[in-house]
Amino acid sequence: MKFCKTYQEYMQNWEREFPGVGFKNLKKILKKCRHDIDSHNSCDDNGDLIPSNCPHQCPVCDGTFFPSLLKEMSDVVGCFNERARKLLDLHLATGFKKYYVWCKGKQNHVSLIQEGQDLVTYAMINAIAVRKILKKYDKVHYSKQGQEFKSRAQSMHVEILQSPWLSELMAFHINLRDKKAKARTGANFFEGCALKFTDGKPSLTCELFDSVKVDLDLTCSICLDTVFDPVALTCGHIFCYICACNAASVTIVDGLQVTSPKEKCPLCREAGVYEGALHLEELNILLSRRCHEYWEERLQSERLERIKQAKEHWEFQCRAFMGV
């Protein structure tokens, strides 16, 4: 079965709840553009066809194809992030809040697992749809503009596989699977996600379809160790919280919320990525269980650093108050 038909059948079950990529409509746009290009093709002296590239100011591509795809990608990642946030907030709720939301929403672990699996599948199949339509664009136009558009989309944070909520959902599934395995229950768990170690370095992997695989490196590029108390910047890169604070030139006491908009990501050098940084709670739980000895060591060293920074912070505040 062709992917276009597979995608349409999948999205028909969710079209009222989830936005998607207009795969069929985008293919029609490309078909019209191909017809216009073919009508302008010429032959060389040997009678061979000389392909004509799409002009830089193509009204079909610049005015319809890319704006439509960009809006659809933005809607998809926005819906995915919001749904994932609500699901994980529900799972991580404690005390009276947990009792209230679970009774009000009539939720249970089975429904949470199913919704999480649906969200991961939704992210993966839309990532495939975007990749395939951009590949077809380049094939039609004999160009690399499709890949260039993908790079622009990543810089605009509308690439769904770049979303930190995806790594949180993957960790969420592994955490529940581990918990139920210890309890020896027979729940039907999503097996597509796994935490793997290569030469002692952890990574999150997820593979639902043959043509796409997510592999997230969990090594902090600042301290070059497994991320501890992980935080994801809006550009998608993951760091230890204390490493991110040091890179942003702020203390742990003040936190990333006071970071200057001019501060840049240590990896991609994009500015303004600290505002809205996401604490990866599910990933934190997963790594603390799977890397227990390392976690205890980091916990002790981080506690000392936090005490040191807190002491320096309050000494500075006292001196400022006294006018010293």
Side-chain angles (χ1 to χ4, degrees), residues 107-134:
Q107 298 283 353
N108 55 54
H109 280 291
V110 175
S111 62
L112 284 182
I113 294 167
Q114 185 59 52
E115 186 176 353
Q117 180 175 346
D118 290 340
L119 283 171
V120 175
T121 306
Y122 172 73
M124 301 289 268
I125 200 168
N126 276 284
I128 296 172
V130 171
R131 191 184 69 177
K132 284 186 175 292
I133 199 66
L134 289 177

Side-chain angles (χ1 to χ4, degrees), residues 21-22 29 31 58 74 101 118 137 146 149 151-152 184 194 212 215 234 238 244 248 259 289:
V21 176
I29 294 173
K31 187 175 181 180
C58 172
S74 180
V101 296
D118 290 340
Y137 175 93
F149 171 80
S151 298
R152 293 200 303 272
R184 296 184 180 180
V212 66
D215 194 349
T234 55
I238 300 174
T259 304
R289 290 172 177 171

Side-chain angles (χ1 to χ4, degrees), residues 68-297:
S68 297
L69 181 57
L70 185 63
K71 182 182 183 305
E72 289 162 358
M73 290 176 67
S74 180
D75 291 342
V76 166
V77 75
C79 174
F80 172 78
N81 288 345
E82 182 63 19
R83 292 265 183 164
R85 182 189 65 79
K86 289 181 178 180
L87 172 66
L88 295 175
D89 281 351
L90 183 61
H91 179 242
L92 293 170
T94 57
F96 178 76
K97 180 182 178 182
K98 182 175 183 178
Y99 174 80
Y100 174 76
V101 296
W102 278 66
C103 290
K104 182 180 178 181
K106 297 181 179 180
Q107 298 283 353
N108 55 54
H109 280 291
V110 175
S111 62
L112 284 182
I113 294 167
Q114 185 59 52
E115 186 176 353
Q117 180 175 346
D118 290 340
L119 283 171
V120 175
T121 306
Y122 172 73
M124 301 289 268
I125 200 168
N126 276 284
I128 296 172
V130 171
R131 191 184 69 177
K132 284 186 175 292
I133 199 66
L134 289 177
K135 186 176 180 180
K136 188 170 185 64
Y137 175 93
D138 285 343
K139 184 178 179 180
V140 168
H141 297 85
Y142 307 99
S143 73
K144 294 183 179 179
Q145 292 183 55
Q147 295 305 312
E148 292 173 359
F149 171 80
K150 187 175 181 180
S151 298
R152 293 200 303 272
Q154 290 176 345
S155 66
M156 296 171 69
H157 311 142
V158 294
E159 166 58 64
I160 196 164
L161 296 184
Q162 190 183 17
S163 171
W165 288 109
L166 181 58
S167 59
E168 275 289 82
L169 279 176
M170 291 162 64
F172 158 78
H173 277 292
I174 300 171
N175 285 333
L176 280 182
R177 195 166 64 216
D178 290 350
K179 184 178 180 181
K180 293 302 178 182
K182 289 181 179 180
R184 296 184 180 180
T185 58
N188 183 24
F189 283 98
F190 177 49
E191 299 294 338
C193 301
L195 177 67
K196 296 183 178 180
F197 290 85
T198 304
D199 296 329
K201 300 294 183 181
S203 63
L204 271 179
T205 63
C206 184
E207 187 172 8
L208 293 183
F209 303 92
D210 293 337
S211 55
V212 66
K213 180 180 179 180
V214 177
D215 194 349
L216 300 174
D217 184 15
L218 299 180
T219 300
C220 175
S221 59
I222 297 176
C223 66
L224 303 180
D225 226 328
T226 300
V227 287
F228 178 85
D229 193 15
V231 60
L233 308 185
T234 55
C235 59
H237 292 122
I238 300 174
F239 303 96
C240 304
Y241 182 72
I242 193 169
C243 293
C245 287
N246 291 335
S249 302
V250 297
T251 65
I252 303 175
V253 179
D254 292 326
L256 293 176
Q257 63 271 16
V258 300
T259 304
S260 168
K262 296 180 180 179
E263 295 294 338
K264 300 178 180 180
C265 169
L267 270 181
C268 64
R269 307 307 297 165
E270 181 180 348
V273 294
Y274 290 94
E275 185 180 2
L278 175 65
H279 241 115
L280 304 178
E281 301 291 350
E282 290 283 355
L283 183 58
N284 191 52
I285 294 171
L286 174 61
L287 291 174
S288 66
R289 290 172 177 171
R290 294 291 187 91
C291 311
H292 185 70
E293 292 184 4
Y294 164 76
W295 216 253
E296 287 298 320
E297 291 177 5

